[in-house]
Structure formats: structure tokens, C-alpha cells
Amino acid sequence: MPAPRTTADAPPGVSGAVTATDLRLRIGDVAARAGVSTRTLRYYEELGLLRPSGRTLGGERRYEASDLTKLERIIELKKAMGMNLEEVKEFLASEDRLAELRAAYHAHRDQSTKAAREHQHAILEEAIALRRALADQLDATLARIKAFRSQIQAEAERCRQLLDELG
């Protein structure tokens, strides 16, 4: 039985190489589960939206459950919210930063020094600014959707008027 491959066995520049016992998903499996093409996954990687958790020693992409969750979030933001890929990237970056802030806040939560309170204050101020920016981004997206909906309704009304004129 061959020894499991590890990150230490990986060539320079290949991080997160998987072991033989890892249960990471292949690109085709992830694409099929998410209903996208493998090319889409590669494109998302090129854009920095979704990176595989690791690669085999042969360079094959491997994805974990957390990667699939992130992909589902990308698809949700694109389809349900109507965001373009640049907006999705900005939105995800803000969410990632909020997660970092949350962890930093909790790491200092039990400290009662003045410096710790000032640090928590700064964290909360940044979190408020990020959340407001996310809300503004959603408002802009919703405004575009609403304007598009109004246009469709106006065109439908115009068709109704033409139908009425035909008698």
C-alpha cells in the first residue's frame, strides 16, 4: 500500500496538497452539485472568487464542503440578487472581513483594559461601516431590479393598450 501523499511531499508552490485519505471533491463533482460548468469554476478561480482548498500532487483541484458553501453563496448573489461578478467579489470580501472582525472582537471580549475597549470600539466601528456598505450595495441592486420590473410592467401595459385598440 503506498504511503499517503502529504503537503510536505508537494513540489514548491503547491500548497494544500491532499492526502490519499482526504475526501475532497473533484472539480467535476462540485460543478455537478452546484449546477455549473467546470469552466465556470475555473473562471471563478481566475477572478479570485473561489479557490479550491487544495490540489493533488498532480495539480488537480480539490474542494471541501466549505468551498461548496461559498460557491452556493456566489450563485445566490448572482441569481437571486442580480449582482455581477465584481459586485459578488466585493460583497464576499466584505463578508470575509466581517468574519475576521467578529473573531477579533470575541478574542478581546473578556479583556477590560482601556486599550482592549478601544480596540473593540474600532472593530465595531469598522463592522458598522461594512454592514452599511453592504446594505447600500443591496439597495442599489434592488433599485436596478425595481427599475427593470417597472420597465417590463410599462411594456406590458403598452401591449394591453394596443390590444384594446385592436378591439
Side-chain angles (χ1 to χ4, degrees):
M1 179 174 182
R5 296 176 295 172
T6 65
T7 303
D9 301 325
V14 176
S15 62
V18 297
T19 65
T21 58
D22 273 344
L23 298 176
R24 294 184 182 175
L25 299 169
R26 302 177 96 170
I27 191 169
D29 298 328
V30 172
R33 286 185 185 196
V36 299
S37 68
T38 57
R39 176 64 193 123
T40 296
L41 292 176
R42 289 183 189 99
Y43 184 58
Y44 288 176
E45 184 179 356
E46 288 173 29
L47 295 177
L49 282 171
L50 179 69
R51 299 199 188 286
S53 289
R55 290 184 184 264
T56 65
L57 292 175
E60 293 180 3
R61 294 164 177 84
R62 290 295 188 259
Y63 297 86
E64 294 180 349
S66 61
D67 300 321
L68 191 54
T69 300
K70 187 169 186 176
L71 176 58
E72 290 167 351
R73 183 72 166 153
I74 291 167
I75 293 168
E76 174 186 41
L77 292 170
K78 278 188 66 212
K79 289 186 178 178
M81 298 306 300
M83 292 183 183
N84 64 42
L85 292 176
E86 188 57 38
E87 291 169 325
V88 169
K89 187 174 184 177
E90 291 172 18
F91 199 91
L92 292 176
S94 293
E95 287 186 329
D96 289 346
R97 180 62 183 150
L98 283 166
E100 291 170 4
L101 291 172
R102 187 177 304 110
Y105 180 84
H106 288 294
H108 293 88
R109 184 175 47 188
D110 295 332
Q111 298 176 6
S112 60
T113 66
K114 183 179 179 185
R117 284 193 311 275
E118 288 174 356
H119 185 65
Q120 287 176 317
H121 186 272
I123 289 170
L124 291 172
E125 288 290 338
E126 184 178 351
I128 289 168
L130 280 170
R131 294 216 179 266
R132 285 186 177 149
L134 288 173
D136 290 347
Q137 185 178 1
L138 290 175
D139 287 344
T141 299
L142 290 172
R144 281 196 324 264
I145 292 169
K146 191 174 182 178
F148 186 64
R149 183 177 185 274
S150 293
Q151 178 185 354
I152 290 172
Q153 285 180 318
E155 291 167 355
E157 181 57 33
R158 178 66 183 139
C159 289
R160 170 64 50 207
Q161 290 171 354
L162 292 170
L163 187 61
D164 289 344
E165 289 173 10
L166 288 174

